[in-house]
Amino acid sequence: MSALLGADEPAPVELLRAEGASPFLLTADHAGRLIPRALGDLGVTAAERARHIGWDIGIAGVTRRLSAALDAAAVLQRYSRLVIDCNRKPGMGSAFVTLSEATRVPGNEGLDEPAKAARVAEIFAPYHDAIERLIEARARTVYVAMHSFTPIYLDRARPMHVAVLYNRKPRFAKLLAGLLRAEAGLVVGENAPYQLGDDTDYGVPAHAEARGLECVEIEIRQDLIAREDGQAEWAARLARLLPRALAALDEQAEA
């Protein structure tokens, strides 16, 4: 019996093109903003839940289009990061935020261990298990974690249009950053406005770096992809540049 999700509620995982021919595996930890019926609204207004604190605005549309353009497998997580952040270790306090930017999340205050365990078992684990199964079934995987970031955080503007994040496996990410900089008019950040690390991320360290896979975390500014035309533009751009970055990486390996 489920302790959290009703039988009629959506599964946490949206899986696209599991048999896709591309070596790229796309993940979107914060693609959706659903909240299980049993949790109500977590004490957060609808307007606040629709902001960046609830999900990565626009990234689901970019990821779905990019999956189609590349024939790449993609795994998207449907539930709000306010329920559980699927890019954090479950034991970290930031996995169940009580304050996101300047917004209180009363439904996460004083959570007991069974309540946390239900969210891990029914949302976090199925999502990451799906990623694990795909990697294990593939001959080659280049892990691409898809995210978006708010243009302004706590009244501080972020001027970059896109950011490329990396830690232990930087080569592929740096090649992609160079290709993005060659695009007219783009401001490209590297490990900004976020840095990728074991204490701030789960997907890349656990799935890619632990296996020695080539990987990158991509962050796109949300105002650029809030609408479908922007999502299509960025998916097309990444569909051009990701294979070029991989080809350059393979050439380096052969040299």
Side-chain angles (χ1 to χ4, degrees):
M1 291 284 294
S2 168
L4 182 63
L5 295 176
D8 60 334
E9 291 186 270
V13 178
E14 178 183 348
L15 177 60
L16 303 175
R17 296 174 183 84
E19 305 297 328
S22 172
F24 295 110
L25 170 59
L26 313 177
T27 66
D29 303 331
H30 308 138
R33 58 188 178 104
L34 297 174
I35 296 180
R37 186 167 52 240
L39 302 182
D41 59 10
L42 292 173
V44 180
T45 68
E48 288 291 297
R49 297 196 308 273
R51 296 198 315 118
H52 71 93
I53 67 169
W55 61 327
D56 277 0
I57 294 167
I59 207 62
V62 176
T63 303
R64 293 185 187 113
R65 288 170 172 82
L66 183 57
S67 171
L70 293 173
D71 189 25
V75 189
L76 293 81
Q77 203 284 113
R78 292 187 171 116
Y79 284 84
S80 175
R81 65 196 305 169
L82 297 176
V83 177
I84 182 170
D85 192 326
C86 285
N87 194 33
R88 298 291 186 276
K89 296 176 184 176
M92 298 177 65
S94 56
F96 307 96
V97 292
T98 56
L99 183 70
S100 185
E101 196 173 16
T103 300
R104 281 185 59 222
V105 186
N108 287 347
E109 295 173 354
L111 280 183
D112 60 22
E113 290 307 311
K116 292 179 182 179
R119 300 187 195 187
V120 172
E122 298 188 45
I123 295 175
F124 181 96
Y127 173 67
H128 287 289
D129 288 349
I131 295 170
E132 288 283 306
R133 286 193 297 271
L134 281 173
I135 294 173
E136 290 171 2
R138 296 153 60 91
R140 185 185 191 188
T141 293
V142 179
Y143 192 94
V144 181
M146 301 290 292
H147 292 265
S148 68
F149 65 94
T150 180
I152 299 174
Y153 183 79
L154 291 175
D155 298 324
R156 187 170 183 175
R158 277 98 166 252
M160 65 285 293
H161 300 106
V162 62
V164 174
L165 279 54
Y166 49 83
N167 186 19
R168 296 181 180 90
K169 296 285 288 184
R171 289 192 305 157
F172 177 72
K174 285 179 172 288
L175 288 167
L176 179 61
L179 292 170
L180 284 164
R181 287 197 178 92
E183 299 277 292
L186 281 190
V187 178
V188 181
E190 290 190 37
N191 282 338
Y194 307 109
Q195 288 190 309
L196 196 159
D198 295 342
D199 293 332
T200 55
D201 296 82
Y202 181 84
V204 169
H207 297 300
E209 292 179 338
R211 288 181 169 85
L213 302 179
E214 297 298 339
C215 54
V216 62
E217 187 166 317
I218 298 172
E219 294 267 3
I220 307 170
R221 206 173 70 196
Q222 289 170 355
D223 58 317
L224 304 177
I225 57 172
R227 295 169 27 134
E228 290 192 5
D229 54 350
Q231 294 165 19
E233 176 186 346
W234 274 92
R237 174 178 285 119
L238 292 173
R240 281 192 294 108
L241 299 185
L242 283 167
R244 287 177 57 191
L246 184 56
L249 183 71
D250 289 342
E251 288 175 9
Q252 288 181 1
E254 293 171 2

